[in-house]
C-alpha cells in the first residue's frame, strides 16, 4: 500500500500512517519507509503516528489534523493506488474549483488484481447528490480525495467504524460537489476475515446511515430523510430474510 502511494506519477505525497494499536509488526515495517524517505524524499515522505487502538475513524481524524497538504486522500492498509490515481484526481479538482472532493471507480481483488474480474462498482455517477451517496456508498475511503479547506471541521464519526466513510462523504457533499474520475484507479482488497465481511457489519452500517439521516433532517429535508430511512430499513429486512 505504501509503495503504491510512493509510486504515484508526477507527485510526491506526504504519507501519514496512523498505527491504531496494531500487534502484527506493522510499525516496524512503516519505520523503514520513514527512514528511507528521510534519506531520499524525492518520491514523498512517510510519517508514522502511533496511538492506542481507538478505531478507524479516530485514526483518520488524527491523520487529517497532522496533514499539511492542500488536498487529502485516504487509503486503507490493504488497498492499492494505481500509478495515475493521484494525478488524475488532482487534475479534476483543479479543473472544478467548486468541487469539495473527487473520487474514482475501483475494483476488488483478493490476491491478484484480475482474480475478481475488475468489475465496476454499481451506481457510480459523477456529481452524486446526498441521497445517492447514502444509498449506494460509492464514495469510500480509498477512492476519495478532498480539498483540505472544503470540509472545514467535518471529520469521521468516532462513535462508529461501520459506514463512517459514507456519512463522511455525505457531510462533505453538503459542503460542495463530489466529481468523479471515470476510471478504476484503486484496487480494493477483499478477504473473508475483514471486518466489513462480517454479517453484523451490514447491520451496523445501515444503523449508522439511518442515524445520519435523522441528525441531518433539517439540512436535507424531512421528506428525503424519511424516504432514505425507510429504504435503509427495507434493505436490512430484505437481507435478514435471505
Amino acid at each position: 500500500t505504501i509503495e503504491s502511494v510512493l509510486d504515484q506519477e508526477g507527485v510526491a505525497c506526504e504519507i501519514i500512517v496512523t498505527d491504531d494499536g496494531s500487534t502484527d509488526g506493522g510499525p516496524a515495517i512503516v519505520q523503514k519507509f520513514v527512514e528511507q524517505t528521510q534519506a531520499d524524499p524525492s518520491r514523498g515522505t512517510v510519517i508514522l503516528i502511533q496511538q492506542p487502538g481507538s478505531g478507524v475513524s479516530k485514526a483518520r481524524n488524527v491523520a487529517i489534523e497532522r496533514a499539511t497538504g492542500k488536498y487529502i486522500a485516504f487509503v486503507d492498509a490493504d488497498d492499492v493506488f494505481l500509478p495515475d490515481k493521484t494525478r488524475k484526481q488532482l487534475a479534476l479538482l483543479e479543473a472544478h474549483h467548486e468541487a469539495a472532493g473527487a473520487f474514482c471507480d475501483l475494483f476488488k481483488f483478493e490476491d491478484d488484481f484480475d482474480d475478481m474480474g475488475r468489475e465496476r462498482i454499481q451506481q457510480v455517477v459523477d456529481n452524486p447528490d446526498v441521497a445517492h451517496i447514502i444509498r449506494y456508498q460509492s464514495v469510500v475511503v480509498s477512492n476519495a480525495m478532498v480539498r483540505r479547506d472544503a470540509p472545514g471541521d467535518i471529520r469521521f464519526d468516532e462513535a462508529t467504524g461501520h459506514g463512517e466513510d459514507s456519512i463522511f462523504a455525505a457531510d462533505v457533499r453538503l459542503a460542495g460537489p463530489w466529481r468523479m474520475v471515470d476510471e478504476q484507479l484503486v484496487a480494493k482488497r477483499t478477504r473473508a476475515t475483514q471486518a466489513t465481511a462480517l454479517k453484523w457489519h451490514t447491520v451496523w452500517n445501515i444503523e449508522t446511515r439511518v442515524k445520519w439521516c435523522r441528525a441531518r433532517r433539517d439540512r436535507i429535508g424531512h421528506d428525503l430523510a424519511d424516504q432514505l430511512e425507510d429504504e435503509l430499513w427495507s434493505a436490512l429486512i430484505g437481507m435478514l430474510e435471505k
Side-chain angles (χ1 to χ4, degrees):
T1 299
I2 294 175
E3 284 283 5
S4 77
V5 182
L6 289 172
D7 287 341
Q8 290 298 288
E9 295 177 349
V11 59
C13 299
E14 173 189 67
I15 304 171
I16 301 171
V17 180
T18 308
D19 173 62
D20 192 45
S22 67
T23 58
D24 60 358
I29 296 173
V30 177
Q31 186 59 38
K32 293 180 181 179
F33 285 102
V34 172
E35 294 168 1
Q36 290 173 9
T37 57
Q38 285 176 341
D40 178 14
S42 60
R43 297 170 65 205
T45 59
V46 178
I47 299 165
L48 173 61
I49 299 174
Q50 293 180 271
Q51 66 177 31
S54 304
V56 294
S57 294
K58 175 67 173 179
R60 293 176 192 137
N61 289 340
V62 167
I64 290 172
E65 295 301 325
R66 177 63 178 78
T68 62
K70 181 180 178 181
Y71 302 96
I72 300 176
F74 308 95
V75 59
D76 280 342
D78 47 3
D79 297 341
V80 178
F81 284 179
L82 273 62
D84 52 354
K85 185 260 189 190
T86 301
R87 177 176 59 82
K88 289 185 175 180
Q89 286 188 316
L90 288 173
L92 185 65
L93 288 171
E94 289 294 332
H96 296 276
H97 295 286
E98 80 288 354
F103 70 109
C104 61
D105 199 355
L106 56 80
F107 62 89
K108 295 181 180 180
F109 75 105
E110 292 180 345
D111 296 303
D112 300 312
F113 279 179
D114 294 310
D115 60 16
M116 296 182 71
R118 298 203 186 196
E119 294 183 5
R120 290 178 62 90
I121 301 176
Q122 294 182 352
Q123 305 294 342
V124 177
V125 299
D126 184 35
N127 195 16
D129 59 20
V130 165
H132 192 282
I133 291 169
I134 291 295
R135 284 187 182 111
Y136 301 113
Q137 298 186 281
S138 54
V139 183
V140 297
V141 172
S142 293
N143 72 347
M145 176 185 289
V146 296
R147 219 181 284 277
R148 182 179 181 83
D149 58 354
D153 58 0
I154 296 171
R155 296 294 183 268
F156 290 90
D157 184 351
E158 296 180 10
T160 183
H162 305 276
E164 78 292 335
D165 49 354
S166 295
I167 62 173
F168 174 83
D171 277 330
V172 171
R173 179 61 184 85
L174 294 176
W178 282 99
R179 304 309 302 261
M180 182 185 72
V181 180
D182 192 14
E183 296 182 55
Q184 294 175 309
L185 301 177
V186 173
K188 185 170 182 59
R189 192 185 300 273
T190 178
R191 294 189 185 279
T193 55
Q194 290 174 326
T196 53
L198 300 175
K199 64 180 181 180
W200 282 107
H201 168 74
T202 301
V203 177
W204 295 326
N205 180 307
I206 289 175
E207 180 186 34
T208 294
R209 287 181 283 157
V210 166
K211 288 181 177 179
W212 184 90
C213 292
R214 291 177 178 176
R216 302 295 187 276
R217 285 174 62 84
D218 290 342
R219 296 195 64 184
I220 69 175
H222 291 201
D223 290 344
L224 178 57
D226 290 341
Q227 178 184 345
L228 290 172
E229 183 174 345
D230 288 345
E231 291 177 8
L232 290 168
W233 287 135
S234 295
L236 176 60
I237 291 170
M239 181 199 73
L240 295 175
E241 288 179 342
K242 288 183 179 180

